[in-house]
Every structure is written in structure tokens, then in C-alpha cells.
Amino acid sequence: MPDHILPQFIDSTMLNCFRTCNQRFFNEFILGLRPAEISIHLHAGAAFSGALERFYHNFWAKQMDQKTALSQTLPKFLDLWGDFAPSKPTPKTRENMWNAVEEYLNKWPAETDHVQPLEFNKRKTVEFSASVPLDFPGFPRHPVTGDPFIYCGRIDMLGTYNNRTCIRDEKTTGRLDANWASQWDLRSQFLGYCWLCTISGIPCDTAVVRGIVIHKRDILPVEAIKIYGQWEIDRWFEQLRRDLNSIVRCWNEKWWNYNLGEACTMWGGCSFADLCKSQHPERWYDSYKTKRWNPLDRNPIDPQQGV
Ligand code: SF4
């Protein structure tokens, strides 16, 4: 029987899950249950962003030229990919994901990229992580530790675009939907990043979102620029406060609401459907792994990082 642990660290993935279905949040983040099979999307995305991170380190910190920096990134990518083999046909193969890294850097070469990393103490900052205690009026305390919850985020790059500070985020996807660019208009993840940067002393209201569309035979890089109003960031903050109060109420009442609707079937079906279909969900726990989510890891459920 997995332990019931209410995390102290909260990020946008956890909040989105809670908003979609309280019960799914309970299974995933309170019990720490994960489907036995690793998600190709999480794995491929982590290998891609880990490779880019290494490339930028080679280019900016080690001052290699683009070609050398890229060739010295390949071993890191292969290491991150490991011996993972997708169980179903997918365009997100190891070869295609490496092609995606190359294609990305062809489209946006580091030297001339219109998003350049911010400089602190004469050093280019590529990845940026922040965690801020939510010690503000109206925010609940963690019901077990009594300490404030901590909101955290890991940003692919903190940079400048058109003389404005921006966060840059990469998304790998299997297809380009008509609403690809507009889907980021209200994105809680980016509003939260803007809030995190600003409260950490780096005012920011802009997100540059890059999509890398991975088809079977070609790779298509696309970009969207979003500028958020202060009122949107303030509204996000108020929603965060309300969501945390709801999470604490669910914890205290030992009741996590069920969606019992579209969330159960979208994206190929919720991975916890077997639990919800059973009168004795605990009998299904053995068919899952237990892996606690760490929001500050690049791959928060990396199997190599232990339980
Ligand atoms: S199957 Fe439906 S109710 Fe159950 S956890 Fe998933 S989304 Fe929630």
C-alpha cells in the first residue's frame, strides 16, 4: 500500500492535474502511482531538452562553435535515451528525436537566435529554476508540516527577445493542430513562470514557445510569442491560492472528487481508469510503479533517479 504524502512542492503540472480531476491528482501525486510503462512523450521530451541544455552549455559556457558543440552533445543525448524502446509505433524514435535537435539548431542557430540567454555576472544563463514559499495572506499552510507550500518551476531558458526579458520553452509534438499557437494564450505554466521570475527580481511578462513537430519523415519547427498582462498574472496567482485551499480541503476531508467525464477518456484514456472502475482500487496498486514527482528534475519521473 503506497504512503499518502501531500507534496510540499507544487508546480504547474500538479495544479493542472488537480484541476482536471482531483482523483487523478490523488493517485499521481499523493500516492505517487505511475503506469508501469514509461510515457514516450515524457521520455522523448526529456532527452530532447537535456540535449539542448548540453548543447547550450557547450556553446556558451565552453565557447565551442556550433558544429563542435552539437557533435559533443550526441553522447549526452544517447545517454539520456538509454535503451528505451517505445512499445507502440511512434514518430518519436531515437533517430527522429536527434534529428529534431539538429533541425532546431538549424532553424535557430545559437549565435543568431533572436532569443539570447540573459547574462548574470558575465555568464549566460540557460536553464533557470526557482522555488518560492507561498507565505502570503490567504494561502494555506501544509497541513502536516505547518510550513508554507513552495511553488517551483524549471524554465528551459531565461532570455531576451526584442529587448524584453522572456522565458523560452520547447514543446515536442506529433502533429501541428490549427490552434497550436493560441493554446498558449491562457497557459497556466507560463503565467506561473512569469510570476516566479518577477518575484525573484527579474520582471518578465513574455513567453517564447517553440514547437518541434515530429512527423515520421520530417521535422517542423514553429514558434509563438505570448505577452501576458499583469492582470492575467494576478488572476493566475489568485487561482493558485484557491486551488491550494481546495487541495488542503480534499486532504483534510480524505475525499478527492472524481471527474467521471471526458477526462476519463481523452488522450487515449486516463491511466487510472482501472482504479476508478473498481470497488476495491487498492487491488490494482500492484500494477503501478511508485515514483514521487520531483518538479525540479528535467524528467520529474526519471526511473534512474530512484523512488
Ligand atoms: S478515470 Fe476519470 S475519475 Fe478516475 S482518475 Fe481518471 S479522470 Fe479521474
Side-chain angles (χ1 to χ4, degrees), residues 184-236:
W184 317 115
D185 289 352
L186 295 170
R187 187 58 56 131
S188 169
Q189 177 191 5
F190 302 141
L191 290 161
Y193 285 168
C194 288
W195 178 82
L196 268 178
C197 291
T198 302
I199 202 155
S200 305
I202 309 164
C204 178
D205 63 1
T206 304
V208 177
V209 192
R210 286 180 174 169
I212 301 86
V213 190
I214 297 153
H215 296 133
K216 241 182 192 169
R217 290 195 177 78
D218 62 348
I219 311 283
L220 175 66
V222 289
E223 184 180 77
I225 315 278
K226 299 291 163 189
I227 298 175
Y228 300 106
Q230 187 57 47
W231 66 271
E232 290 177 281
I233 297 170
D234 293 345
R235 183 178 65 185
W236 169 87

Side-chain angles (χ1 to χ4, degrees), residues 21 23-24 258-260 263-264 270 273 276:
C21 176
Q23 184 64 208
R24 192 191 290 185
Y258 294 77
N259 178 279
L260 305 180
C264 307
C270 172
C276 294

Side-chain angles (χ1 to χ4, degrees), residues 98-155:
W98 176 251
N99 289 342
V101 174
E102 292 185 328
E103 204 50 52
Y104 182 100
L105 293 164
N106 280 339
K107 171 82 177 172
W108 295 293
E111 190 74 53
T112 54
D113 194 335
H114 51 253
V115 178
Q116 289 290 310
L118 270 190
E119 230 176 79
F120 290 104
N121 301 326
K122 297 194 177 159
R123 290 190 59 190
K124 305 269 187 190
T125 301
V126 181
E127 274 224 352
F128 178 77
S129 296
S131 23
V132 174
L134 295 167
D135 195 6
F136 301 100
F139 276 75
R141 295 267 166 162
H142 190 286
V144 177
T145 66
D147 292 327
F149 284 95
I150 296 169
Y151 190 76
C152 46
R154 195 170 195 272
I155 299 170

Side-chain angles (χ1 to χ4, degrees), residues 223-270:
E223 184 180 77
I225 315 278
K226 299 291 163 189
I227 298 175
Y228 300 106
Q230 187 57 47
W231 66 271
E232 290 177 281
I233 297 170
D234 293 345
R235 183 178 65 185
W236 169 87
F237 187 65
E238 171 60 10
Q239 189 60 54
L240 170 67
R241 187 186 71 78
R242 287 170 182 269
D243 287 338
L244 278 174
N245 276 303
S246 300
I247 288 172
V248 169
R249 192 175 60 247
C250 291
W251 172 267
N252 289 336
E253 291 176 353
K254 298 189 171 54
W255 178 265
W256 302 84
N257 292 324
Y258 294 77
N259 178 279
L260 305 180
E262 285 174 5
C264 307
T265 50
M266 65 187 182
W267 304 115
C270 172

